[in-house]
Amino acid sequence: MRPKATLKQIAKELGVSVSTVSKALSNSPEISEPTKIKVQEFAKLKNYKPNNIAVNLKSKRSKTIGVIIPNILNPFFVKVFSGIEKAANARGYNVITCISNESLKKEITAMDMLSNGTIDGFILSVADETQKEHEFKHFKDAIADDIPIVMFDRISEDVNCDKVIVDDFDSAVNAVNHLIKTGCKNIALISNIDNLSVGQLRAEGYLEALKANGVAINEDLILRCESTEELDEKFPAFFDIKGKKIDGVFALEESASVTAHKAVLKAGFRIPEDVQLIGFADGVWSRRLTPSLSTVSQHGPEIGEAAAETLINRLESKEGEELPYETKVIKTELRQRDSTKKL
Amino acid sequence: MRPKATLKQIAKELGVSVSTVSKALSNSPEISEPTKIKVQEFAKLKNYKPNNIAVNLKSKRSKTIGVIIPNILNPFFVKVFSGIEKAANARGYNVITCISNESLKKEITAMDMLSNGTIDGFILSVADETQKEHEFKHFKDAIADDIPIVMFDRISEDVNCDKVIVDDFDSAVNAVNHLIKTGCKNIALISNIDNLSVGQLRAEGYLEALKANGVAINEDLILRCESTEELDEKFPAFFDIKGKKIDGVFALEESASVTAHKAVLKAGFRIPEDVQLIGFADGVWSRRLTPSLSTVSQHGPEIGEAAAETLINRLESKEGEELPYETKVIKTELRQRDSTKKL
DNA sequence: GTGAAAGCGCTAACAT
DNA sequence: ATGTTAGCGCTTTCAC
């Protein structure tokens, strides 16, 4: 291994000072053309790369973003992450990723591990447990320590910071409206995320759409669970198509959609002829199920890009500049595939 | 915002020297008990955290691993990543992730961006384009610069480094053997990854299994594509169950499995009664398709953990210690679900 | 135009 | 037991 090239090395070999080399490489007008060329060519020859850590120490910024994701197996988060990564790299930032696994403790550990100069700011979606316990001190501490946070999707109203969300309420209203328009009379609501703020908002949208259309709310048509396992277990008994006359299902999350899709077919009914189905979903499989699933698509990559842009703008804003916190809303899109009837 | 606590700050406020504070905080026996206690309590009060960047500069190691993933939408890579993240964190390492998007250029850019002290080593799976073009200089350069690499899944034989792979050949042999045992006479092979080394290996396993069982190879039963789109397009015409008497399908990747699953059902045939199906797959949906998919499971998290352990062991090995490069093979598992008949 | 020197925050060898 | 000093690699101010 060739010893790593440093300014000092180059300076010595070229018989000039370290500061001359530094300036020459940064193309400073202080340095004469011939010297610049000599230094730059030699540096290229030696494959010199400024040591990032030293630069960071000097500039007190790491150009690195910490991303904390509750559950990496959820494709929505993966899509958001891909958007963050892309936007961050485009602006010269790296991304350190931690997975909280829905655990408050891991969330705190991860933030602690990174809040020491390693990262300049956080992009995160609040862990399930954190939302349940209403424990937000670690977020507030980071902000107080001048480490900005951008929350996406699962946010906390109690924390004052930038946020990027989906219009969950409106999206649900739209989706249910669509089911009503295509002729559904008894629309079931199924949730595997009733413990999350977004789950609540979507459920409220369902209720609102029914109300606006003058449809009475029937609690027997509502199945709210706090995990996919729970839903998987309860759905077959709940799904009494004859007794309840269910002709539409609105699923609040991708896994719930798949649960319904599978169970409805297994029970011997046709989609969409007997039962129409719409679900929130961003995975690759919604279009590959048979029949394919009509979805509320959340535009994960756009959410990630917006979050990264927001954070970096704040990181790079001038010291004095008062940048008010903003909440960006990314619109969803209703993707009609084969699990709903055409209008 | 309270100004960030530094050793200097604390030293001044306590009227001692910087080195005393440093030693007291690291519990050095050089320092007297009373002083230690005084310093440690004050530091806790001030919420002191050693600046990681300064520590890194001093130690010349960042305790950070660079991970380069070809395609984040492939759930196999996500699972591997989750294993890497877990094992790395357990040993006090952070993980910076880049997505090459199967592009050689992005792969090079990403490695360049990180090879300046930002990371201590790489864990990566080679991009499609890189394998196609046989361009491995960037890997060799990194290794020459003393930045170790661990390759997983998609490796390059030309590069001398640690590797973690799946026994693709044997796994394919097993899977095809299983189809033969359950009565398949005409087993089709479909691939959407014929451009990748792992795709080749799996195809060879298929051929070997047929040969070992005395089954003649029929080129009409083999459909090798280089993308899911291509396969999606060609499969329906290829899948002539009556003419070719296809009664089994072996799919080399998760997407190919889903393509076959969907197309077979759409063509009006039953799984597994008319056609049995086995595919390489690690996504969450294999068990949720109807009927669920029998798979060759690659144990993504274990691969990630092994890769991280291997890399960190090398990073933390003593200077003189000659650590030979090793290739770890993680065994796959045949998961029998509903797309194959019971034995 | 070039170089010397200070300093980012920390550790550690070397005084005292 | 505590302090002084040097130095990690770099940028930047200030002298020459």
Side-chain angles (χ1 to χ4, degrees), chain B residues 182-194:
Chain B
T182 54
C184 293
K185 300 295 177 204
N186 292 288
I187 302 172
L189 169 81
I190 62 172
S191 172
N192 56 327
I193 51 169
D194 204 49

Side-chain angles (χ1 to χ4, degrees), chain B residues 23 34-35 38 53 59 61 86 125 148 232 250 252 256 262 281:
Chain B
K23 286 170 187 164
T35 316
K38 185 178 69 173
I53 298 183
S59 67
R61 311 187 320 101
K86 187 176 154 200
S125 196
D232 275 347
F250 177 47
L252 298 197
K262 192 173 159 77

Side-chain angles (χ1 to χ4, degrees), chain A residues 96-98 110 113-114 116 118, chain B residues 52 62-66 88-89 92-96 119:
Chain A
I96 288 187
T97 314
C98 291
M113 193 166 174
L114 300 177
N116 52 16
T118 305
Chain B
N52 203 6
S62 63
K63 289 213 134 202
T64 302
I65 295 173
N89 278 3
Y93 280 72
N94 282 127
V95 172
I96 287 187
I119 53 90

Side-chain angles (χ1 to χ4, degrees), chain B residues 61-102:
Chain B
R61 311 187 320 101
S62 63
K63 289 213 134 202
T64 302
I65 295 173
V67 174
I68 302 179
I69 281 180
N71 172 7
I72 191 76
L73 298 182
N74 182 330
F76 169 66
F77 289 125
V78 174
K79 289 207 168 186
V80 174
F81 174 75
S82 76
I84 295 173
E85 195 263 354
K86 187 176 154 200
N89 278 3
R91 293 188 64 171
Y93 280 72
N94 282 127
V95 172
I96 287 187
T97 314
C98 291
I99 302 168
S100 69
N101 255 319
E102 307 288 9

